[in-house]
Amino acid sequence: MKRFKRNPENDPGNRSDPDGQTSVEETERKCGVNPMRMMGGLVVLLMAISVVFSASVVLRDPPSDNALESLLPKAIEAEEQKGLGSERFSKLAGVHQDKLLGGLLSARFSEGTCLSRYQSVAFRKKMPHKPSSYLISRLRRYEILHEKCGPHAESYNKTLEQLKFGRQPESSDCSYVVWISFSGLGNRILTLASAFLYALLTNRVLLVDPGVDMVDLFCEPFPEVSWFLPLDFPLKGQFNSFNQNSPSCYGRMLKDNVSANLHGLKPPSHVYLHLVHDYDDQDKLFFCDENQDFLQKIPWLIMKTDDYFIPSLFLMPSFEQELKNLFPNKETVFHFLGQYLFHPTNSVWGLITRYYQAYLAKANEKIGIQIRIFDSGSGPFQYVLDQILACAVKENLLPEISRQDSITSPSGTKSKAVLVTSLTSWYSQQMRSMYWEHPSTTGELVGIYQPSHEEYQQTEKQIHNRKALAEMFLLSFTDVLITSSWSTFGYVAQGLGGLKPWILYKPENQSAPDPPCGRAMSMEPCFHSPPFYDCKVRRGVDTGALVPHVRHCEDMSWGLKLVNVTDEM
């Protein structure tokens, strides 16, 4: 926590007073004592005592919440001078009260090291959802575990020795999930949240492969000890080659021991979990409780995935009660995990705040439109633009345009800022021209803005991923959101912002579908490649029909997503 120092005001006794100079000198001559100087000395003495007392209090104990609240305006002013302030800080009391997100975030960080951690809340409208007290307590317990077992801790070094030399696992208080950096940024964010929840459920410590850019993009989410895997981790050189044929792959181990009892074998020091979209039936047995019993004995689980697999965790009986306690509202899982884990570094936060202040902050309403095209062929496509506009107008998100120029927008007219994210600039250019050349039928002013247009996805390029992360957060700061089917980029934005978007249905035969879009049933992401297997009866089953809170996705009929059933009862 920052400590604020107060500077004493200039001593008014030091200011010259030409009008009183003669009388003071005369008094000095007559009495030998100067009352004015005595009074000034007394004031200085009292001020010195006050400063010393205040300094001792501040240095002894951190300021109380009330004290911080009184100092907050000066802190905000300082941030504004750095270029990071905006109208978002106008509600000072609300910012201070909510900066820990109802207790979700730890207060143990220095704010300057990661400005986004405590400032993000001020960009989003107040959410009705609050984290459960149980989730908060489990996160604090996890932070203690991570500090005890994290990189270079005594327990970490001991367990690492077993891994280096392939020894049989010994009893230890620490076991790990190692997440391999894999796939595009949207996928990585979703899978990292999935891996963390799995670690929370199994009392493991999550360690993150830094990849090429994770350190550049994200602040540390846990106090005191890093979540990044040390560069000298003995298996790091094998991460790119791990696949379903690797001897340590759990799915292959199940195949090779089909006639034997794998669970009767001595557990190895590590197991590779292949949870990528191309995984087979044996790999998918990860989601069966009986296999979790075996994996619980393994100190090191190395996980590679490109899917948000959390919905399938909610179908496992052994995790059912714990998940119910953690998330009474099922559709807030990624919303809370995302806000807890993902805080852009100061360099990325600068991209976000500068753009927000320049183009979005003053608008009465902010609308996000996220465009991702999966159709083959050389776009852009007119039918996609037609679909976007049809959705926005039909749902009263954007006004229609008038072909008559007689409509004017008087002073004080409401304005709408439309944030468009797309690899191409063509869609935003067409919309910008449309609302520039023609007035809206409502008289509203519509501004169209697009931060970047990279033309094609550049997964391994650092500046590309910085911009992508910035745009995800900017979309999450909008009031309403339109997203593209199947896009993990859109899933991240809606989850972070707590938004139920209008989803653009996937076009078929290169024509805009009718209806063009539909409202999402929840703000949760979609699990694109779920297993369809009932572990109890050992046969295929529709896993989207087993429990009320796990259903098929709106944008992918075979996918699974979490919904909050009570909202619809």
Side-chain angles (χ1 to χ4, degrees), residues 69-70 80 127 135 146 163 557 567:
E69 209 164 285
S70 66
E80 288 178 343
M127 288 296 299
L135 173 60
H146 194 96
L163 179 65
S557 60
D567 282 351

Side-chain angles (χ1 to χ4, degrees), residues 344-481:
T345 56
N346 286 353
S347 59
V348 179
W349 190 239
L351 293 176
I352 297 168
T353 54
R354 287 190 295 272
Y355 198 90
Y356 184 90
Q357 291 175 50
Y359 302 106
L360 306 178
K362 295 181 180 180
N364 298 109
E365 186 178 22
K366 291 171 279 292
I367 300 161
I369 301 179
Q370 182 264 328
I371 306 171
R372 180 65 193 274
I373 310 299
F374 291 97
D375 290 3
S376 58
S378 57
F381 304 103
Q382 181 64 44
Y383 64 86
V384 173
L385 177 62
D386 294 340
Q387 180 183 6
I388 294 168
L389 293 173
C391 174
V393 173
K394 176 178 178 291
E395 302 299 339
N396 295 315
L397 306 181
L398 287 178
E400 296 187 71
I401 59 170
S402 173
R403 300 296 175 178
Q404 299 179 5
D405 295 334
S406 59
I407 298 178
T408 59
S409 300
S411 177
T413 299
K414 289 186 177 180
S415 61
K416 292 192 175 189
V418 181
L419 177 74
V420 178
T421 65
S422 173
L423 292 174
T424 177
S425 62
W426 184 83
Y427 299 102
S428 64
Q429 289 173 351
Q430 296 300 308
M431 296 174 67
R432 186 180 299 117
S433 296
M434 185 177 77
Y435 282 104
W436 179 35
E437 295 170 2
H438 304 282
S440 67
T441 55
T442 60
E444 293 173 297
L445 300 175
V446 179
I448 310 294
Y449 308 101
Q450 181 171 347
S452 72
H453 47 91
E454 301 287 281
E455 303 306 326
Y456 62 94
Q457 188 168 349
Q458 304 167 54
T459 301
E460 299 299 322
K461 190 174 179 182
Q462 189 176 73
I463 187 61
H464 174 86
N465 285 330
R466 279 190 184 185
K467 292 177 180 178
L469 181 58
E471 291 182 0
M472 290 179 196
F473 268 77
L474 285 168
L475 286 172
S476 77
F477 297 156
T478 58
D479 301 306
V480 292
L481 186 60

Side-chain angles (χ1 to χ4, degrees), residues 492-509:
V492 171
Q494 72 192 44
L496 290 175
L499 302 168
K500 291 183 182 180
W502 278 266
I503 303 175
L504 297 167
Y505 295 127
K506 198 169 186 301
E508 295 182 4
N509 301 322

